[in-house]
Amino acid sequence: MSTHKLLITGAFGQLGTALTEALIYKYGSDAVIASDLKVRDDFDCETLELDATNLEAIDEVVRKYRVTQIYHLAAVLSAKGEQQPLRTWDLNNSTFFNVLEAARLNDVQKVFFPSSIAVFGPDARQENVAQDFALNPTTVYGISKVAGEHWARYYNTKYGMDVRCLRYPGLISYQSLPGGGTTDYAVDIFHKAINNEEFVCYLKPDTQLPMLYMDDAIDATIRMMEASKRDIKTVGYNIQGVSFSPEIIAAEIKKTFPDFEISYQPDSRQQIAESWPISLDDACARDEWGWEPSFDLKRLTEEMIYRLELKKN
Ligand code: AKB
């Protein structure tokens, strides 16, 4: 029997789907509880319908299963968040508060909070943006992530808790589709390519953003959560794998699918993308707990095409 009991909120989202599988693989089926608003039968572990806006419901699950770690993935992402700013602020914050409180009341050992490159604002539209660059987000999603990093620090300092955060860039995965983000195009483009369809991109061709292949994102998450507490000196680590634009990734895809076509119809997501860094300096994560990505543009592209074609056939 594992000594771990890991509760995941938002387990059926893009990150949750891959992370839950990886946590089951690492710690065993008995150790993982996958929760979301609506659950499916996808995982070989306990799955629960859990509304993270309900503190009593989270508290009950944490007590009942003697949860030792919470991975709080439920959130509204950047593009969708702009459609309903106040609701997004409310949802993203209230769910994290509930997780923090349930963890505090029940002595949960560690909490994971996914922060984002959205913590930065237009002044950070540069290359190699430093860990401690000013945080001036212009999306409600980004503001909620900055607030989340502050609250993580607050709970760590005031209550001696161990809340850890990574700033994810755009995540590229074959397991499931993302929804509501600004970087989602970088997954959709692969689905269109393998189905021989034209891709209409909502960003301009040269809009470069930091990205990360899901295997690297999972490795970073588990590596940081497993690191000794004394090595974790930062709340909200910059991490990235590779920085690319729609025209760069399209050119890479064309190496396998020479007939692949892409056209551009920028929409409101362009403004969000232009408020984020071009690339990040992730030296803190490298120095403090040995972060090192292994997927470059070529490997990421080959792997996405291979995995999606396997799924299709
Ligand atoms: C989004 O595009 O909103 C997310 C993110 C970068 O946090 N993928």
Side-chain angles (χ1 to χ4, degrees):
M1 274 288 269
S2 171
T3 52
H4 293 281
K5 268 290 178 203
L6 315 179
L7 172 65
I8 303 153
T9 71
F12 291 82
Q14 187 202 9
L15 174 59
T17 303
L19 184 61
T20 303
E21 280 296 349
L23 292 173
I24 292 171
Y25 183 75
K26 180 156 181 68
Y27 300 108
S29 295
D30 288 347
V32 180
I33 305 157
S35 78
D36 211 318
L37 280 177
K38 287 201 182 81
V39 298
R40 303 184 304 260
D41 282 342
D42 306 18
F43 300 122
D44 180 22
C45 71
E46 180 94 44
T47 49
L48 297 177
E49 260 183 37
L50 180 62
D51 179 356
T53 62
N54 183 342
L55 172 58
E56 274 174 27
I58 302 181
D59 186 54
E60 200 181 309
V61 169
V62 170
R63 267 187 289 122
K64 177 172 172 195
Y65 292 92
R66 298 174 191 269
V67 168
T68 58
Q69 295 186 20
I70 307 178
Y71 290 72
H72 176 51
L73 311 184
V76 180
L77 298 189
S78 58
K80 190 162 178 220
E82 291 310 288
Q83 288 159 16
Q84 284 186 303
L86 297 186
R87 191 179 164 270
T88 300
W89 171 254
D90 193 32
L91 198 127
N92 286 2
N93 285 294
S94 66
T95 56
F96 189 36
F97 280 134
N98 290 345
V99 163
L100 288 171
E101 276 300 283
R104 180 180 73 81
L105 294 168
N106 297 290
D107 296 322
V108 170
Q109 290 160 11
K110 291 179 197 168
V111 175
F112 176 73
F113 176 71
S115 189
S116 161
I117 54 167
V119 293
F120 296 108
D123 52 338
R125 180 89 191 128
Q126 302 173 17
E127 290 189 33
N128 292 321
V129 169
Q131 177 68 44
D132 57 359
F133 197 93
L135 304 181
N136 292 313
T138 48
T139 61
V140 70
Y141 171 69
I143 299 171
S144 73
K145 291 299 181 190
V146 174
E149 289 189 8
H150 283 304
W151 280 109
R153 257 180 235 111
Y154 182 87
Y155 271 74
N156 286 349
T157 309
K158 188 157 174 104
Y159 302 116
M161 284 173 52
D162 189 356
V163 187
R164 304 183 182 191
C165 317
L166 288 176
R167 290 175 183 160
Y168 290 116
L171 298 180
I172 317 292
S173 67
Y174 64 89
Q175 290 92 336
S176 62
L177 284 164
T182 302
T183 58
D184 296 5
Y185 91 86
V187 177
D188 296 343
I189 194 171
F190 284 100
H191 287 264
K192 289 287 186 296
I194 71 146
N195 288 315
N196 297 318
E197 289 171 34
E198 184 195 346
F199 181 60
V200 183
C201 186
Y202 55 76
L203 295 183
K204 291 183 191 163
D206 59 351
T207 313
Q208 213 167 314
L209 287 169
M211 302 283 181
L212 188 62
Y213 189 61
M214 188 58 89
D215 287 18
D216 276 334
I218 299 299
D219 176 59
T221 310
I222 294 180
R223 203 180 272 249
M224 184 195 64
M225 290 301 278
E226 290 254 300
S228 139
K229 197 173 175 183
R230 66 174 178 274
D231 292 333
I232 300 294
K233 302 187 182 91
T234 307
V235 170
Y237 287 97
N238 282 3
I239 50 164
Q240 77 158 29
V242 55
S243 173
F244 62 74
S245 63
E247 65 189 356
I248 292 174
I249 191 75
E252 198 61 34
I253 290 172
K254 271 174 190 263
K255 290 180 185 168
T256 309
F257 298 105
D259 296 333
F260 175 61
E261 282 182 31
I262 181 165
S263 62
Y264 299 92
Q265 283 178 22
D267 65 18
S268 56
R269 286 168 279 193
Q270 181 65 33
Q271 200 185 351
I272 300 177
E274 282 174 14
S275 76
W276 291 349
I278 294 171
S279 62
L280 299 167
D281 174 356
D282 54 12
C284 262
R286 288 173 188 263
D287 295 347
E288 291 179 22
W289 44 271
W291 158 240
E292 197 178 356
S294 42
F295 285 80
D296 60 11
L297 183 70
K298 182 171 180 288
R299 184 159 177 225
L300 168 161
T301 307
E302 284 170 0
E303 187 74 8
M304 276 298 282
I305 292 171
Y306 172 71
R307 295 283 175 185
L308 287 176
E309 288 203 311
L310 264 189
K311 267 182 108 176
K312 195 177 154 190
N313 298 322

